[in-house]
Amino acid sequence: GADNGLACLHDEDYDDPFNTQNLNSSTLIFTGGRKSESLNGEWNFCVDLLDTGLRQKWFSFTPEAPEEKTEPYDYDPYVGETVPVPSCWSMLKDKWYFFEGSAWYTRPLDLDEQPDDERLFLRVGAAQYDCKVFLNGEFLGNHYGGSTPFNVELTKQAKQGRNWLMLCVNNTRTLDRVPMRNTDWFNYGGIYRDVELYRTPKTLISDFFVYLVPDSSYDKIAVELQVNGPDKTPVIVELAELGIKVEVPIDQDGFGKLTIPAKPELWSPENPRLYSVSATLSADRIEDQIGFRQIEQIGTDILLNGKPIFFRGISVHEDDEFTGKVLRDEDLEQRFQHAKELNCNFMRFAHYPHDERAAKMADREGILLWEEIPVYWAIDFKNPDTLKDASNQLQELIKRDRNRASVVIWSVGNENPDTDERLSFMKHLVDTARDMDPTRLTSAACLVNHTKNRIEDRLIQHINVIGINEYYGWYEENFDDLIDFLDNSDPGKPVVISETGADGYIGEGKLEKGFFSESYMAEVYRKQIATLRQREFVKGISPWILYDFRVERRQNMFQQGWNRKGLIASDKKTKKTAFKLLADFYAELKAKN
Ligand code: GCB
């Protein structure tokens, strides 16, 4: 038949027409204050392991024009099974648990007549990893990167009446992507964050960055704006609570920047003060709640608003026993509640960009954040496409979250082998972060030289804060080596212990002592706390991890598909003994400050 595999996708000599990578978040980065129509809800759905849909072009006919259907297609996108969006298909049916490949999402889009001066955008909060977008049979582009939002303009293709939107989402792990094949978290698939439709005027404010100028004078706010469209009139920026209303001139490229004298109350964990900021350009208006603060690194110190700070942290994944990567508001609130019970002032969002609602909550809750992209372990550092993917994810994350006062660190990687290619790859990412954002520190979980038992990583010269994942008492069986390790290291920069911990299994068949017992886990925490507290250059700790999380690679009888290093079990309720040890330690540090 026609589908004989000759035009097989991913065959080496096949030029994949759907791999354009032209979608990103750049036209509609800024959604704050805009009204949207939710496209969440039931979508028609079909898994497509063999990519038959792309070869047979399942998207090419619509029910309104059945004559375009020239052959008996192997799937009808307009009838049949549905799934909710957002969701992870892995969680919906047992037979989809390990499914890795393409899946098709289809839904109608009924539109009124579109006013001439209106633009229409589809925004996808996140789809893991590759998402191809089709409207009324036309391919509009694809997006790489499973954890950052992207948008696609539908103005030209959308028509009055019934339209059909199809998204082909592929969660195949590949060697050239970020992340690559091997990770220590579950490979969920699907559209797992909100899908929305936005209407804007012809000219819109597409990007908006407002920050306290980081020159230690605390008396200037900078505004940077990007405008998309023909109108180049000034944008009015208002910060009513500070008595500010200014016009920001826009240049020919649509860019505008202004520095304004202002003395805002500073944002901090103790006083998470946010200000309403708005920007108006004719009919377009956006709003945000923004905090102003300064974070800097001097020698081995980290300073918040000029005062040395210690990060009392905890690491967390985006994972749920029942919904996978879909986190409801209550889930996120509970997460901050647990962090507060631990007396934390800091969280590490590992190992990829988390839901954008989480950073907004952290702004309100007064929790400092480390945000990160999935440059994890040995990705393909010599491949320019891999760098492009990583860099795009970093830029999308920064643009999404750079108005969040809570975010103080951009982390560009986790435990990557120290090769020349990796060094230049990572330096490129650090430079990108600095160019786009002068108001945050850079970091990465760096390397330990295990022979010399010391911190040793050429990347350290390029970043502000050295993240160290150390598992003395767990993967490194001799705990006392931690003492040597710290003695041997002289990093000259602040070190944040970005991971430490041990598995503690508390379900049926649990052990009283030894590896995987809760008491052993607690013992590791006791020793870690006693040792780390004595080191001058250790300026923060974010143990691994708040909750047990699902992962394919952990299959012994205590794990059964879960990494059990959580201070709280996978039910997100049951606390292990180590929880209180850490909470008490942090309470003591907090009292001293
Ligand atoms: C690490 C990784 C983290 C793992 C953790 C572990 O070093 O960064 O992703 O989950 O160790 O539990 O082994």
Side-chain angles (χ1 to χ4, degrees), residues 184-185 317 348 351 376-377 414-415 469 471 475 499 503 544 549 554 563 565:
D184 193 32
W185 65 88
H317 259 300
R348 177 185 183 199
H351 285 292
Y376 185 85
W377 294 348
N414 186 78
E415 299 178 352
N469 300 346
Y471 285 91
Y475 299 121
E499 288 178 30
D503 282 63
W544 196 249
F549 60 96
R554 309 285 184 177
N563 184 313
K565 295 192 185 68

Side-chain angles (χ1 to χ4, degrees), residues 503 505-511 515-516 553-562 564:
D503 282 63
Y505 172 67
I506 56 172
E508 211 181 307
K510 68 177 186 202
L511 299 173
F515 285 148
F516 294 99
R553 67 200 293 268
R554 309 285 184 177
Q555 294 296 343
N556 79 27
M557 60 191 289
F558 306 110
Q559 299 167 322
Q560 295 179 46
W562 292 79
R564 304 282 186 191

Side-chain angles (χ1 to χ4, degrees), residues 114 120 135 153-159:
Q114 207 177 313
L120 193 65
L135 186 75
E153 183 159 8
L154 308 179
T155 314
K156 283 203 196 87
Q157 291 84 3
K159 56 181 195 222

Side-chain angles (χ1 to χ4, degrees), residues 301-405:
D301 277 330
I302 300 171
L303 297 97
L304 179 70
N305 300 328
K307 267 180 45 203
I309 186 166
F310 186 94
F311 292 154
R312 306 184 307 266
I314 188 69
S315 300
V316 66
H317 259 300
E318 189 168 63
D319 192 64
D320 186 79
E321 190 166 2
F322 304 105
T323 61
K325 286 180 74 66
V326 184
L327 299 187
R328 292 163 298 124
D329 278 346
E330 306 86 88
D331 245 312
L332 292 170
E333 275 153 20
Q334 170 178 270
R335 181 202 266 195
F336 287 107
Q337 184 53 40
H338 282 139
K340 292 253 161 118
E341 279 178 47
L342 281 170
N343 299 302
C344 286
N345 61 2
F346 178 77
M347 287 180 112
R348 177 185 183 199
F349 283 2
H351 285 292
Y352 39 74
H354 288 208
D355 193 301
E356 57 206 293
R357 287 172 297 159
K360 288 189 178 157
M361 255 181 222
D363 264 13
R364 297 194 293 268
E365 296 287 338
I367 294 285
L368 299 159
L369 294 182
W370 156 310
E371 291 198 333
E372 155 174 2
I373 51 168
V375 174
Y376 185 85
W377 294 348
I379 63 165
D380 194 358
F381 289 107
K382 50 185 189 327
N383 186 337
D385 289 338
T386 309
L387 178 58
K388 191 174 153 196
D389 185 10
S391 174
N392 182 53
Q393 292 186 51
L394 179 66
Q395 292 175 51
E396 288 182 333
L397 171 62
I398 293 177
K399 289 190 167 181
R400 195 192 73 180
D401 283 359
R402 64 183 168 172
N403 287 317
R404 304 279 74 84

